[in-house]
Amino acid sequence: MARYESVLDAIGGTPLIRLTRAAAGLRPRVYVKPEWQNPGGSVKDRAALAMLRRAEADGTLRPGGTVVEVTSGNTGIGLALAAAHLGYCTVVFTGSATSKEKRDQLAAYGAEVRLVDAFVPRDHPDSMRSQGVKFAAETPGAWFVDQYDNPANPAAHYATTGPEIWADTEGAVTHFVATVGTGGTISGTGRHLKDISAGRVQVIGADPLTSKYAGGDGSQKYIEGAGHYLHPEAAADVWPLSLDTGVIDEYVAVEDQDAIDAVRLLARTEGILAGGSAGVALAAALRVAADLTADDTVVVLLPDSGRAYLSTYFNDAWLTANGFRGPAPAEGPTVGDHSRAAPLVEQHEQPADAVRRLAEQGASDDDVVLAAYRRDGRLLAPHPSDLLGWTTPAGLRGAASVAEAARPFGPRLGVGLAVADPAVTGWDRAEGEVAPVLDRGRVTGTVRWAALHPEPQLPEQLTTPLTEPAAAGPGR
Ligand SMILES: Cc1ncc(COP(=O)(O)O)c(C=O)c1O
Protein backbone atom coordinates (compact mmCIF):
# COMPACT_ATOMS: atom_id res chain seq x y z
CA MET A 1 0.00 0.00 0.00
CA ALA A 2 1.18 3.52 -0.74
CA ARG A 3 1.06 6.61 1.47
CA TYR A 4 0.53 10.08 -0.03
CA GLU A 5 1.07 13.51 1.44
CA SER A 6 -1.67 15.08 -0.72
CA VAL A 7 -4.56 14.04 -2.93
CA LEU A 8 -2.59 15.19 -5.98
CA ASP A 9 0.10 12.61 -5.26
CA ALA A 10 -2.61 9.93 -5.34
CA ILE A 11 -3.29 10.61 -9.04
CA GLY A 12 -2.00 7.81 -11.27
CA GLY A 13 -0.55 4.48 -10.19
CA THR A 14 -3.69 2.49 -11.06
CA PRO A 15 -3.34 -1.32 -11.16
CA LEU A 16 -3.96 -3.89 -13.88
CA ILE A 17 -6.71 -6.47 -13.33
CA ARG A 18 -6.77 -9.71 -15.30
CA LEU A 19 -10.07 -10.64 -16.91
CA THR A 20 -10.88 -14.24 -16.26
CA ARG A 21 -14.56 -14.77 -17.03
CA ALA A 22 -15.20 -12.04 -19.64
CA ALA A 23 -12.14 -13.19 -21.60
CA ALA A 24 -12.77 -16.91 -21.12
CA GLY A 25 -11.88 -18.95 -24.20
CA LEU A 26 -9.50 -16.31 -25.54
CA ARG A 27 -5.81 -17.24 -25.93
CA PRO A 28 -4.04 -14.01 -24.84
CA ARG A 29 -3.97 -12.60 -21.32
CA VAL A 30 -6.35 -9.63 -21.14
CA TYR A 31 -5.87 -6.99 -18.42
CA VAL A 32 -7.94 -3.92 -17.75
CA LYS A 33 -6.61 -0.70 -16.20
CA PRO A 34 -9.36 0.73 -13.97
CA GLU A 35 -8.78 4.47 -14.20
CA TRP A 36 -11.65 5.29 -11.84
CA GLN A 37 -9.19 4.49 -9.07
CA ASN A 38 -7.88 8.03 -9.57
CA PRO A 39 -9.19 10.39 -6.84
CA GLY A 40 -11.64 12.20 -9.17
CA GLY A 41 -12.87 8.91 -10.62
CA SER A 42 -11.41 8.97 -14.12
CA VAL A 43 -8.34 8.87 -16.33
CA LYS A 44 -8.72 12.62 -16.86
CA ASP A 45 -7.25 13.42 -13.42
CA ARG A 46 -3.85 12.70 -14.95
CA ALA A 47 -4.21 15.16 -17.83
CA ALA A 48 -5.94 17.76 -15.64
CA LEU A 49 -3.11 17.84 -13.10
CA ALA A 50 -0.42 17.90 -15.80
CA MET A 51 -2.09 20.75 -17.72
CA LEU A 52 -2.55 22.73 -14.52
CA ARG A 53 1.06 22.20 -13.43
CA ARG A 54 2.28 23.26 -16.90
CA ALA A 55 0.18 26.45 -16.75
CA GLU A 56 1.59 27.27 -13.32
CA ALA A 57 5.12 26.64 -14.53
CA ASP A 58 4.81 28.86 -17.60
CA GLY A 59 3.03 31.61 -15.63
CA THR A 60 -0.34 31.36 -17.43
CA LEU A 61 -2.01 30.43 -14.14
CA ARG A 62 -1.10 32.53 -11.11
CA PRO A 63 -2.23 32.41 -7.47
CA GLY A 64 -5.90 33.37 -7.17
CA GLY A 65 -6.48 32.57 -10.85
CA THR A 66 -9.51 30.90 -12.44
CA VAL A 67 -9.38 27.62 -14.35
CA VAL A 68 -11.83 27.61 -17.30
CA GLU A 69 -12.63 24.52 -19.37
CA VAL A 70 -15.19 23.12 -21.77
CA THR A 71 -15.77 19.48 -20.90
CA SER A 72 -18.21 16.61 -20.92
CA GLY A 73 -17.37 16.18 -17.27
CA ASN A 74 -14.31 14.15 -16.35
CA THR A 75 -11.63 16.69 -17.26
CA GLY A 76 -13.60 19.31 -15.36
CA ILE A 77 -13.71 17.01 -12.34
CA GLY A 78 -9.94 16.46 -12.44
CA LEU A 79 -9.36 20.19 -12.79
CA ALA A 80 -11.88 21.05 -10.08
CA LEU A 81 -10.31 18.72 -7.53
CA ALA A 82 -6.76 19.88 -8.27
CA ALA A 83 -7.88 23.53 -8.29
CA ALA A 84 -9.75 23.08 -5.00
CA HIS A 85 -6.61 21.64 -3.44
CA LEU A 86 -4.36 24.38 -4.83
CA GLY A 87 -6.74 27.28 -4.17
CA TYR A 88 -7.91 28.21 -7.68
CA CYS A 89 -11.48 28.82 -8.82
CA THR A 90 -12.92 26.59 -11.55
CA VAL A 91 -15.58 27.42 -14.12
CA VAL A 92 -16.76 24.57 -16.33
CA PHE A 93 -18.89 24.91 -19.46
CA THR A 94 -20.76 21.71 -20.20
CA GLY A 95 -23.80 20.44 -22.11
CA SER A 96 -27.01 19.14 -20.61
CA ALA A 97 -26.15 15.67 -21.99
CA THR A 98 -23.38 15.42 -19.39
CA SER A 99 -24.64 13.05 -16.72
CA LYS A 100 -26.18 14.65 -13.65
CA GLU A 101 -23.81 12.64 -11.46
CA LYS A 102 -20.81 14.34 -13.08
CA ARG A 103 -22.33 17.82 -12.86
CA ASP A 104 -23.10 17.27 -9.17
CA GLN A 105 -19.55 16.08 -8.56
CA LEU A 106 -18.16 19.24 -10.17
CA ALA A 107 -20.34 21.37 -7.91
CA ALA A 108 -19.24 19.35 -4.88
CA TYR A 109 -15.62 20.45 -5.46
CA GLY A 110 -16.86 24.04 -5.54
CA ALA A 111 -16.65 24.46 -9.31
CA GLU A 112 -19.10 26.76 -11.06
CA VAL A 113 -20.97 24.74 -13.67
CA ARG A 114 -22.37 26.65 -16.65
CA LEU A 115 -24.85 24.57 -18.61
CA VAL A 116 -24.85 25.55 -22.27
CA ASP A 117 -26.50 24.27 -25.42
CA ALA A 118 -24.09 21.66 -26.76
CA PHE A 119 -25.87 21.34 -30.13
CA VAL A 120 -24.03 24.24 -31.79
CA PRO A 121 -21.17 23.93 -34.32
CA ARG A 122 -17.70 24.48 -32.78
CA ASP A 123 -16.99 27.55 -34.93
CA HIS A 124 -20.27 29.29 -33.97
CA PRO A 125 -19.99 32.16 -31.42
CA ASP A 126 -22.51 30.37 -29.16
CA SER A 127 -20.68 27.03 -29.11
CA MET A 128 -19.49 25.68 -25.76
CA ARG A 129 -15.92 26.26 -26.86
CA SER A 130 -16.51 29.83 -28.06
CA GLN A 131 -18.28 30.66 -24.80
CA GLY A 132 -15.42 29.19 -22.73
CA VAL A 133 -12.77 31.07 -24.73
CA LYS A 134 -14.72 34.34 -24.48
CA PHE A 135 -15.33 33.96 -20.76
CA ALA A 136 -11.62 33.26 -20.13
CA ALA A 137 -10.58 36.25 -22.26
CA GLU A 138 -12.91 38.56 -20.35
CA THR A 139 -12.09 37.28 -16.83
CA PRO A 140 -8.94 38.69 -15.20
CA GLY A 141 -6.56 35.90 -14.11
CA ALA A 142 -8.46 33.23 -16.06
CA TRP A 143 -6.71 30.42 -17.91
CA PHE A 144 -8.49 28.49 -20.68
CA VAL A 145 -7.27 24.92 -20.34
CA ASP A 146 -8.03 23.70 -23.89
CA GLN A 147 -7.56 19.95 -23.36
CA TYR A 148 -8.14 19.29 -27.06
CA ASP A 149 -5.09 21.26 -28.11
CA ASN A 150 -2.94 21.19 -24.98
CA PRO A 151 0.35 19.25 -25.34
CA ALA A 152 0.46 18.65 -21.58
CA ASN A 153 -2.57 16.33 -22.02
CA PRO A 154 -0.82 13.55 -24.01
CA ALA A 155 2.44 14.31 -22.17
CA ALA A 156 0.77 13.28 -18.89
CA HIS A 157 0.15 9.81 -20.31
CA TYR A 158 3.61 9.54 -21.83
CA ALA A 159 5.02 10.24 -18.38
CA THR A 160 2.69 8.08 -16.27
CA THR A 161 0.13 5.75 -17.94
CA GLY A 162 2.56 4.25 -20.46
CA PRO A 163 5.36 3.53 -17.95
CA GLU A 164 2.86 2.02 -15.48
CA ILE A 165 1.58 -0.45 -18.09
CA TRP A 166 5.10 -1.36 -19.16
CA ALA A 167 6.24 -1.92 -15.56
CA ASP A 168 3.13 -3.81 -14.44
CA THR A 169 3.29 -6.23 -17.41
CA GLU A 170 7.07 -6.48 -17.04
CA GLY A 171 7.38 -5.51 -20.67
CA ALA A 172 5.04 -8.28 -21.84
CA VAL A 173 2.29 -5.98 -23.19
CA THR A 174 1.79 -6.55 -26.93
CA HIS A 175 -1.50 -4.67 -27.53
CA PHE A 176 -2.83 -1.50 -25.97
CA VAL A 177 -6.51 -0.65 -26.51
CA ALA A 178 -8.08 2.71 -25.62
CA THR A 179 -10.85 5.00 -26.76
CA VAL A 180 -10.11 8.35 -28.35
CA GLY A 181 -11.75 11.55 -27.10
CA THR A 182 -9.23 14.36 -27.06
CA GLY A 183 -6.71 11.66 -28.00
CA GLY A 184 -4.52 12.47 -25.00
CA THR A 185 -4.70 9.01 -23.44
CA ILE A 186 -4.02 6.94 -26.54
CA SER A 187 -1.42 9.32 -27.97
CA GLY A 188 0.72 9.65 -24.84
CA THR A 189 0.37 6.07 -23.61
CA GLY A 190 0.65 4.58 -27.09
CA ARG A 191 3.72 6.65 -27.98
CA HIS A 192 5.48 5.63 -24.78
CA LEU A 193 4.72 1.94 -25.27
CA LYS A 194 5.92 2.14 -28.88
CA ASP A 195 9.13 3.94 -27.88
CA ILE A 196 10.02 1.57 -25.07
CA SER A 197 9.19 -1.57 -27.07
CA ALA A 198 10.95 -0.38 -30.23
CA GLY A 199 7.62 -0.30 -32.04
CA ARG A 200 6.50 -3.80 -31.01
CA VAL A 201 3.37 -2.80 -29.03
CA GLN A 202 0.31 -2.44 -31.25
CA VAL A 203 -1.94 0.50 -30.41
CA ILE A 204 -5.64 0.04 -31.12
CA GLY A 205 -8.12 2.92 -31.19
CA ALA A 206 -11.55 1.76 -30.06
CA ASP A 207 -14.12 4.10 -31.56
CA PRO A 208 -17.91 4.39 -31.62
CA LEU A 209 -19.11 3.25 -35.05
CA THR A 210 -20.28 6.68 -36.18
CA SER A 211 -17.25 8.59 -34.85
CA LYS A 212 -15.17 10.41 -37.45
CA TYR A 213 -11.88 9.00 -36.14
CA ALA A 214 -12.54 5.49 -37.42
CA GLY A 215 -14.15 6.80 -40.61
CA GLY A 216 -17.73 7.07 -39.38
CA ASP A 217 -20.32 9.59 -40.60
CA GLY A 218 -19.77 11.87 -37.58
CA SER A 219 -23.32 11.49 -36.27
CA GLN A 220 -24.02 11.53 -32.54
CA LYS A 221 -23.50 8.45 -30.33
CA TYR A 222 -24.71 7.51 -26.88
CA ILE A 223 -21.29 6.87 -25.36
CA GLU A 224 -19.90 9.82 -23.40
CA GLY A 225 -16.24 10.69 -23.76
CA ALA A 226 -15.28 8.43 -26.67
CA GLY A 227 -15.18 9.33 -30.35
CA HIS A 228 -15.49 12.44 -32.46
CA TYR A 229 -18.89 13.89 -33.31
CA LEU A 230 -19.32 16.36 -36.16
CA HIS A 231 -22.15 18.88 -36.01
CA PRO A 232 -24.15 18.68 -39.27
CA GLU A 233 -23.61 22.40 -39.89
CA ALA A 234 -19.93 22.53 -38.91
CA ALA A 235 -17.86 24.54 -41.38
CA ALA A 236 -14.88 22.18 -41.00
CA ASP A 237 -14.01 18.93 -39.27
CA VAL A 238 -11.34 20.03 -36.75
CA TRP A 239 -9.39 17.24 -35.04
CA PRO A 240 -7.66 17.82 -31.69
CA LEU A 241 -3.93 18.56 -31.64
CA SER A 242 -3.78 16.30 -28.56
CA LEU A 243 -4.36 13.37 -30.92
CA ASP A 244 -1.28 11.87 -32.57
CA THR A 245 -2.92 9.86 -35.36
CA GLY A 246 0.45 8.34 -36.30
CA VAL A 247 0.56 6.30 -33.11
CA ILE A 248 -2.64 4.34 -33.83
CA ASP A 249 -2.03 1.13 -35.79
CA GLU A 250 -5.66 0.17 -36.18
CA TYR A 251 -9.15 1.39 -35.33
CA VAL A 252 -11.93 -0.93 -34.26
CA ALA A 253 -15.42 0.56 -34.66
CA VAL A 254 -17.98 -0.47 -32.04
CA GLU A 255 -21.73 0.06 -32.15
CA ASP A 256 -23.30 1.69 -29.07
CA GLN A 257 -25.30 -1.45 -28.35
CA ASP A 258 -22.14 -3.61 -28.34
CA ALA A 259 -20.39 -1.18 -25.97
CA ILE A 260 -23.39 -1.26 -23.63
CA ASP A 261 -23.55 -5.06 -23.80
CA ALA A 262 -19.80 -5.28 -23.02
CA VAL A 263 -19.95 -3.06 -19.99
CA ARG A 264 -23.04 -4.79 -18.60
CA LEU A 265 -21.37 -8.15 -19.10
CA LEU A 266 -18.23 -6.90 -17.34
CA ALA A 267 -20.26 -5.91 -14.30
CA ARG A 268 -22.15 -9.20 -14.19
CA THR A 269 -19.33 -11.62 -14.95
CA GLU A 270 -16.27 -9.94 -13.45
CA GLY A 271 -17.78 -7.67 -10.81
CA ILE A 272 -16.13 -4.69 -12.52
CA LEU A 273 -18.41 -1.65 -12.94
CA ALA A 274 -17.10 0.51 -15.79
CA GLY A 275 -18.50 3.36 -17.90
CA GLY A 276 -19.69 3.39 -21.51
CA SER A 277 -16.39 4.36 -23.14
CA ALA A 278 -14.83 1.45 -21.24
CA GLY A 279 -17.42 -0.70 -23.00
CA VAL A 280 -16.23 0.58 -26.39
CA ALA A 281 -12.63 -0.27 -25.44
CA LEU A 282 -13.54 -3.66 -24.04
CA ALA A 283 -15.69 -4.71 -27.01
CA ALA A 284 -12.85 -3.72 -29.36
CA ALA A 285 -10.23 -5.50 -27.23
CA LEU A 286 -12.17 -8.75 -27.10
CA ARG A 287 -12.56 -8.64 -30.87
CA VAL A 288 -8.82 -8.07 -31.35
CA ALA A 289 -7.92 -10.72 -28.76
CA ALA A 290 -9.91 -13.36 -30.65
CA ASP A 291 -7.19 -13.39 -33.35
CA LEU A 292 -4.17 -13.33 -31.01
CA THR A 293 -2.05 -16.06 -29.46
CA ALA A 294 -1.15 -17.22 -25.97
CA ASP A 295 2.08 -15.19 -26.30
CA ASP A 296 0.12 -11.95 -26.41
CA THR A 297 -0.88 -9.62 -23.59
CA VAL A 298 -3.66 -7.13 -24.18
CA VAL A 299 -4.11 -4.10 -21.92
CA VAL A 300 -7.43 -2.25 -22.11
CA LEU A 301 -7.77 1.18 -20.52
CA LEU A 302 -11.12 1.71 -18.79
CA PRO A 303 -11.52 5.53 -18.45
CA ASP A 304 -14.16 5.77 -15.74
CA SER A 305 -16.55 3.87 -13.53
CA GLY A 306 -20.13 2.81 -14.19
CA ARG A 307 -21.19 4.77 -11.08
CA ALA A 308 -21.73 7.85 -13.26
CA TYR A 309 -24.00 5.89 -15.62
CA LEU A 310 -26.34 4.04 -13.29
CA SER A 311 -29.16 6.15 -14.74
CA THR A 312 -28.24 5.29 -18.34
CA TYR A 313 -26.34 2.18 -19.53
CA PHE A 314 -27.28 0.27 -16.36
CA ASN A 315 -30.86 1.48 -16.19
CA ASP A 316 -33.58 -0.67 -17.77
CA ALA A 317 -36.00 2.24 -18.26
CA TRP A 318 -33.34 4.32 -20.07
CA LEU A 319 -32.33 1.38 -22.26
CA THR A 320 -35.93 0.63 -23.21
CA ALA A 321 -36.77 4.29 -23.86
CA ASN A 322 -33.88 4.51 -26.32
CA GLY A 323 -34.55 1.15 -27.98
CA PHE A 324 -31.49 -0.67 -26.61
CA ARG A 325 -31.64 -4.38 -25.88
CA GLY A 326 -30.90 -5.63 -22.40
CA PRO A 327 -33.98 -5.52 -20.22
CA ALA A 328 -36.53 -8.33 -20.37
CA PRO A 329 -38.91 -7.80 -23.33
CA ALA A 330 -42.18 -6.05 -22.52
CA GLU A 331 -45.36 -8.08 -22.22
CA GLY A 332 -48.16 -7.30 -24.70
CA PRO A 333 -47.99 -5.09 -27.78
CA THR A 334 -45.01 -2.78 -28.14
CA VAL A 335 -44.34 0.52 -29.91
CA GLY A 336 -42.30 -1.49 -32.43
CA ASP A 337 -45.48 -3.33 -33.49
CA HIS A 338 -46.92 0.03 -34.60
CA SER A 339 -43.76 1.58 -36.04
CA ARG A 340 -43.71 2.41 -39.76
CA ALA A 341 -40.51 2.99 -41.74
CA ALA A 342 -40.29 6.59 -42.96
CA PRO A 343 -38.30 7.95 -45.91
CA LEU A 344 -35.83 10.77 -45.35
CA VAL A 345 -35.48 14.20 -46.91
CA GLU A 346 -32.36 16.25 -46.25
CA GLN A 347 -32.33 19.88 -45.27
CA HIS A 348 -30.57 21.06 -48.44
CA GLU A 349 -33.04 19.37 -50.84
CA GLN A 350 -35.45 21.58 -52.75
CA PRO A 351 -38.94 20.68 -51.44
CA ALA A 352 -40.29 20.27 -54.99
CA ASP A 353 -37.47 17.81 -55.85
CA ALA A 354 -38.11 15.93 -52.63
CA VAL A 355 -41.85 15.66 -53.38
CA ARG A 356 -41.09 14.28 -56.86
CA ARG A 357 -38.57 11.77 -55.49
CA LEU A 358 -40.95 10.62 -52.75
CA ALA A 359 -43.78 10.16 -55.30
CA GLU A 360 -41.45 8.02 -57.45
CA GLN A 361 -40.76 5.91 -54.35
CA GLY A 362 -44.51 5.39 -53.94
CA ALA A 363 -45.10 7.66 -50.93
CA SER A 364 -48.63 9.01 -50.48
CA ASP A 365 -49.36 12.64 -49.71
CA ASP A 366 -49.89 12.16 -45.99
CA ASP A 367 -47.11 9.60 -45.35
CA VAL A 368 -44.70 10.61 -42.60
CA VAL A 369 -41.28 11.74 -43.85
CA LEU A 370 -38.22 12.42 -41.66
CA ALA A 371 -36.72 15.88 -42.18
CA ALA A 372 -33.00 15.47 -41.48
CA TYR A 373 -29.87 17.59 -41.30
CA ARG A 374 -27.37 16.83 -44.03
CA ARG A 375 -25.04 13.97 -43.20
CA ASP A 376 -22.56 12.53 -45.70
CA GLY A 377 -22.17 8.77 -45.92
CA ARG A 378 -24.81 7.91 -43.34
CA LEU A 379 -23.87 4.59 -41.70
CA LEU A 380 -26.95 3.89 -39.64
CA ALA A 381 -30.50 5.18 -39.36
CA PRO A 382 -30.38 8.79 -38.12
CA HIS A 383 -29.65 9.73 -34.51
CA PRO A 384 -32.53 11.86 -33.11
CA SER A 385 -30.22 14.90 -32.99
CA ASP A 386 -29.80 14.61 -36.76
CA LEU A 387 -33.51 15.27 -37.34
CA LEU A 388 -35.21 18.64 -37.74
CA GLY A 389 -38.65 17.08 -37.30
CA TRP A 390 -41.21 15.33 -39.45
CA THR A 391 -43.26 16.30 -42.46
CA THR A 392 -45.27 14.78 -45.31
CA PRO A 393 -45.14 15.17 -49.11
CA ALA A 394 -48.24 17.40 -48.74
CA GLY A 395 -46.41 19.50 -46.15
CA LEU A 396 -43.35 19.84 -48.38
CA ARG A 397 -45.42 21.00 -51.34
CA GLY A 398 -45.34 24.78 -51.38
CA ALA A 399 -42.84 25.06 -48.49
CA ALA A 400 -39.82 27.29 -49.08
CA SER A 401 -37.44 24.77 -47.48
CA VAL A 402 -37.37 21.38 -45.78
CA ALA A 403 -36.76 23.20 -42.48
CA GLU A 404 -39.90 25.27 -42.96
CA ALA A 405 -41.96 22.13 -43.58
CA ALA A 406 -40.54 20.32 -40.52
CA ARG A 407 -42.87 19.94 -37.54
CA PRO A 408 -41.83 19.04 -33.99
CA PHE A 409 -41.82 15.43 -32.87
CA GLY A 410 -43.65 13.97 -29.91
CA PRO A 411 -41.57 12.03 -27.35
CA ARG A 412 -38.86 9.58 -28.40
CA LEU A 413 -40.17 6.03 -28.01
CA GLY A 414 -38.07 2.86 -27.93
CA VAL A 415 -39.19 -0.08 -30.09
CA GLY A 416 -39.49 -2.33 -27.06
CA LEU A 417 -41.71 0.00 -24.98
CA ALA A 418 -45.04 -1.54 -24.06
CA VAL A 419 -47.99 0.33 -25.56
CA ALA A 420 -49.36 0.38 -22.00
CA ASP A 421 -46.19 2.09 -20.67
CA PRO A 422 -46.76 5.54 -19.09
CA ALA A 423 -44.27 7.02 -21.59
CA VAL A 424 -46.76 6.09 -24.31
CA THR A 425 -50.06 6.63 -22.51
CA GLY A 426 -48.81 9.98 -21.19
CA TRP A 427 -47.89 11.28 -24.67
CA ASP A 428 -49.74 14.56 -25.07
CA ARG A 429 -50.84 14.99 -28.68
CA ALA A 430 -50.14 18.74 -28.45
CA GLU A 431 -46.38 17.96 -28.12
CA GLY A 432 -46.33 16.46 -31.57
CA GLU A 433 -48.59 14.29 -33.69
CA VAL A 434 -45.78 11.90 -34.67
CA ALA A 435 -43.12 10.27 -32.46
CA PRO A 436 -39.76 8.93 -33.63
CA VAL A 437 -39.27 5.24 -32.86
CA LEU A 438 -35.78 4.29 -31.71
CA ASP A 439 -34.08 0.97 -32.28
CA ARG A 440 -30.65 0.81 -30.62
CA GLY A 441 -30.69 4.57 -30.30
CA ARG A 442 -31.40 5.34 -33.96
CA VAL A 443 -34.67 6.46 -35.54
CA THR A 444 -35.81 3.52 -37.60
CA GLY A 445 -39.45 4.50 -37.93
CA THR A 446 -42.26 6.68 -36.65
CA VAL A 447 -45.63 6.21 -35.06
CA ARG A 448 -48.67 8.50 -35.10
CA TRP A 449 -50.35 9.46 -31.84
CA ALA A 450 -53.65 8.03 -33.09
CA ALA A 451 -52.08 4.60 -33.71
CA LEU A 452 -51.22 4.27 -30.02
CA HIS A 453 -54.31 6.04 -28.67
CA PRO A 454 -57.23 4.46 -30.54
CA GLU A 455 -60.69 6.04 -30.22
CA PRO A 456 -62.34 4.54 -27.12
CA GLN A 457 -64.94 1.91 -28.14
CA LEU A 458 -68.46 2.25 -26.76
CA PRO A 459 -69.06 -0.40 -24.10
CA GLU A 460 -70.73 -3.48 -25.60
CA GLN A 461 -73.95 -3.26 -23.51
CA LEU A 462 -74.69 0.13 -25.04
CA THR A 463 -74.35 -1.17 -28.60
CA THR A 464 -76.34 -4.33 -27.91
CA PRO A 465 -80.16 -3.97 -28.02
CA LEU A 466 -81.40 -4.28 -24.45
CA THR A 467 -84.18 -6.70 -25.44
CA GLU A 468 -81.80 -9.24 -27.01
CA PRO A 469 -80.97 -12.12 -24.62
CA ALA A 470 -77.26 -12.41 -23.79
CA ALA A 471 -75.61 -15.37 -25.49
CA ALA A 472 -74.47 -18.08 -23.12
CA GLY A 473 -70.69 -18.08 -22.86
CA PRO A 474 -68.48 -21.14 -22.60
CA GLY A 475 -68.49 -22.84 -19.21
CA ARG A 476 -71.82 -21.38 -18.18
C1 LIG B 1 -15.44 8.72 -20.02
C2 LIG B 1 -14.34 9.09 -20.95
N1 LIG B 1 -13.85 8.16 -21.77
C3 LIG B 1 -12.88 8.43 -22.66
C4 LIG B 1 -12.31 9.68 -22.75
C5 LIG B 1 -11.25 9.93 -23.78
O1 LIG B 1 -9.98 10.21 -23.24
P1 LIG B 1 -9.02 11.16 -24.05
O2 LIG B 1 -9.60 12.54 -24.02
O3 LIG B 1 -7.72 11.10 -23.30
O4 LIG B 1 -8.90 10.66 -25.44
C6 LIG B 1 -12.81 10.69 -21.92
C7 LIG B 1 -12.30 12.04 -22.04
O5 LIG B 1 -12.81 13.00 -21.52
C8 LIG B 1 -13.84 10.39 -21.00
O6 LIG B 1 -14.35 11.33 -20.18
Side-chain angles (χ1 to χ4, degrees), residues 43-44 72 74-75 102 147 153 157 179-186 224-226 277 303-304 309:
V43 68
K44 301 303 296 203
S72 65
N74 284 333
T75 304
K102 287 186 194 167
Q147 57 170 328
N153 171 5
H157 297 284
T179 51
V180 192
T182 64
T185 304
I186 200 161
E224 278 179 43
S277 65
D304 68 358
Y309 311 98

Side-chain angles (χ1 to χ4, degrees), residues 227-469:
H228 180 59
Y229 161 71
L230 184 63
H231 190 283
E233 289 174 346
D237 182 8
V238 182
W239 285 28
L241 297 177
S242 300
L243 171 60
D244 174 2
T245 52
V247 85
I248 300 174
D249 295 292
E250 182 194 345
Y251 280 104
V252 175
V254 176
E255 252 191 82
D256 289 343
Q257 178 75 62
D258 295 339
I260 292 169
D261 289 348
V263 86
R264 287 168 66 88
L265 188 82
L266 189 69
R268 285 163 192 232
T269 59
E270 297 277 359
I272 298 175
L273 186 66
S277 65
V280 176
L282 182 64
L286 296 181
R287 245 183 261 169
V288 167
D291 294 330
L292 300 180
T293 70
D295 295 331
D296 291 307
T297 298
V298 180
V299 173
V300 194
L301 187 133
L302 308 185
D304 68 358
S305 158
R307 291 285 287 270
Y309 311 98
L310 294 177
S311 57
T312 53
Y313 318 126
F314 296 98
N315 180 289
D316 283 0
W318 182 89
L319 292 169
T320 307
N322 290 291
F324 287 106
R325 294 180 306 250
E331 283 178 15
T334 62
V335 167
D337 297 334
H338 295 270
S339 176
R340 301 279 167 269
L344 198 110
V345 291
E346 279 194 348
Q347 180 195 21
H348 68 282
E349 276 190 272
Q350 286 303 319
D353 294 345
V355 171
R356 213 170 305 122
R357 182 172 61 74
L358 291 166
E360 281 164 18
Q361 290 170 3
S364 322
D365 256 15
D366 60 352
D367 279 355
V368 174
V369 175
L370 299 174
Y373 287 104
R374 188 198 172 100
R375 181 68 69 194
D376 289 333
R378 235 176 253 286
L379 282 180
L380 297 170
H383 184 279
S385 67
D386 260 1
L387 296 177
L388 294 147
W390 68 279
T391 183
T392 59
L396 284 163
R397 200 169 292 124
S401 65
V402 168
E404 187 190 282
R407 297 160 67 177
F409 277 121
R412 299 176 185 182
L413 302 175
V415 273
L417 263 177
V419 167
D421 192 286
V424 180
T425 53
W427 170 10
D428 179 353
R429 192 174 197 165
E431 279 177 64
E433 177 72 35
V434 168
V437 178
L438 275 67
D439 188 358
R440 283 169 284 161
R442 318 295 294 198
V443 181
T444 54
T446 63
V447 62
R448 284 186 183 271
W449 183 90
L452 297 179
H453 302 83
E455 292 284 323
Q457 297 293 308
L458 284 174
E460 206 176 313
Q461 57 268 36
L462 294 182
T463 55
T464 313
L466 288 173
T467 49
E468 205 170 282

Side-chain angles (χ1 to χ4, degrees), residues 130-179:
S130 305
Q131 292 192 51
V133 170
K134 183 164 177 277
F135 176 83
E138 290 171 353
T139 307
W143 161 59
F144 183 60
V145 181
D146 205 4
Q147 57 170 328
Y148 284 87
D149 295 337
N150 190 326
N153 171 5
H157 297 284
Y158 192 92
T160 66
T161 322
E164 287 170 25
I165 292 171
W166 187 255
D168 290 343
T169 59
E170 291 159 351
V173 56
T174 55
H175 296 76
F176 172 63
V177 185
T179 51

